[in-house]
Amino acid sequence: MSSPLSLGAVSAVLRNLLDNGLVDTAPALGTVKVTAVAPDTIAVDEPDAPPSLNLFLYRVTPNQGWRNTDLPAYDGDGARRTNPPLALDLHYLLTAYGSADFQAEIMLGYAMYLLHERPVLDRAAIRRALDPNPLGPSILPPAFQALTAADLADQAEAITVTPEPLDTEELARLWSAMQAHYRPTAGYVVSVVLIQATKPSRPALPVLTRGPVDRSTGRDRGVVVEPSLLPPFPTLERVGIPHARQAARLGDTITLFGHHLAGASATAHFGHRLLDEPNEVAVGTVTDPHTIEVPLPSGADAERDWPAGLWTVTVSVVPPGAAESRRSTAVALPLAPRPSLPPVSVARDAATGAVTVVLDVRPRVRPAQSARLALGGTEAEADEHRDPLAPLTFRLPGLTAGPKWARLTVDGVESLLVDRSAAPPVFDPGQAVDVPS
């Protein structure tokens, strides 16, 4: 396969082909300058400008034949398994510039004839065009010397040069976009250039058996077909929280809904951004393939190890007939904080009128977590808290006296002010704070 230098290498090979071909087949034209630059950089108003041909790469498109042959793949350890090539088609404009009558037409005719006679860029021609040794490396510009490392001649598929008809509307758009004076032009497409990474890869070993092998017959189990549109793997779809609350609390029993959840040794894994390893809750044997009930822990240890905020839940289970456990997809679980009311203290500053609330929270709020307290319509951020065992301090300016509903938000998850176990729902009377005057 080729390297990323291949685009420049193709242009260099085509320019070399035209340059040498005009010298051999059309000596009567004299010296013809062959370039590969943008048309707007060519001076066309100079009276003594020599005749020239210009090859301009104006578009690059994916090759449809090679585009979907492979995709980048990695194994379970993150090691690269494949290096799929980047397959490209290169679209060129071949333009002739001449100041005398019929000069441009004659040069364009010879150039098109040369490309017609060489519809395939063979490997020997590519190597000759890119090899600087005959001329000496000091004669060639550094950019051209680098193209020898393109490995263009070693790619798997040959490079073809094919005319690409361009109608007057497309030509008008191209030359208007380039803001250059139109000259006799022909379009060509060069296909295919294969650019491939040289990163080390580790291909997968061949498959010898499909499933367990029967020792008596020596035959493998074969492909297991399941008549369902659902993937045959443990999958979680959502979390059910008691009384349809928006967040769970420690001590709740949550319900995980999904499919293919039945099996032995089921374990729920709870991940949090502040934990290096997820917390695990053993469930045991599950008979219902669609639901798993998981009790959340409670008590002092849980308040220390289960911070409030957003959690991700997965389940590992050994399916029936399988020997190893499988891990499910993940779903989100918001775990709400619970303010201990009444607060430790509520005091108003006589000078400023601001109210300071010292509040204990369960689960414990860690130093890396954000906490906000809203009393009525007034909200404030917690002061810096470095000790997770210490209560939080909030300073709320402009707070009027009287009972206020309290809402505590930790890492984006709000405490449960509404009691949804009642019908209709009501505010939890235990979630109010009496603000002194």
Side-chain angles (χ1 to χ4, degrees), residues 306-321:
W306 291 70
L310 192 62
W311 292 73
T312 57
V313 188
T314 60
V315 171
S316 60
V317 63
V318 180

Side-chain angles (χ1 to χ4, degrees), residues 318-408:
V318 180
E324 298 180 354
S325 65
R326 291 182 176 177
R327 182 72 70 96
S328 72
T329 55
V331 290
L333 172 68
L335 184 64
R338 175 178 293 183
S340 298
L341 299 177
V344 176
S345 65
V346 182
R348 184 183 295 274
D349 188 288
T352 63
V355 175
T356 300
V357 179
V358 179
L359 186 65
D360 208 354
V361 181
R362 300 290 186 274
R364 299 293 185 179
V365 179
R366 303 193 177 192
Q369 292 184 286
S370 64
R372 298 186 66 86
L373 176 65
L375 293 182
T378 304
E379 188 177 25
E381 188 85 19
D383 290 352
E384 182 179 3
H385 51 287
R386 297 184 179 181
D387 184 3
L389 300 179
L392 302 180
T393 300
F394 302 88
R395 306 179 192 279
L396 298 93
L399 188 62
T400 59
K404 307 291 182 183
W405 294 115
R407 290 171 295 168
L408 177 67

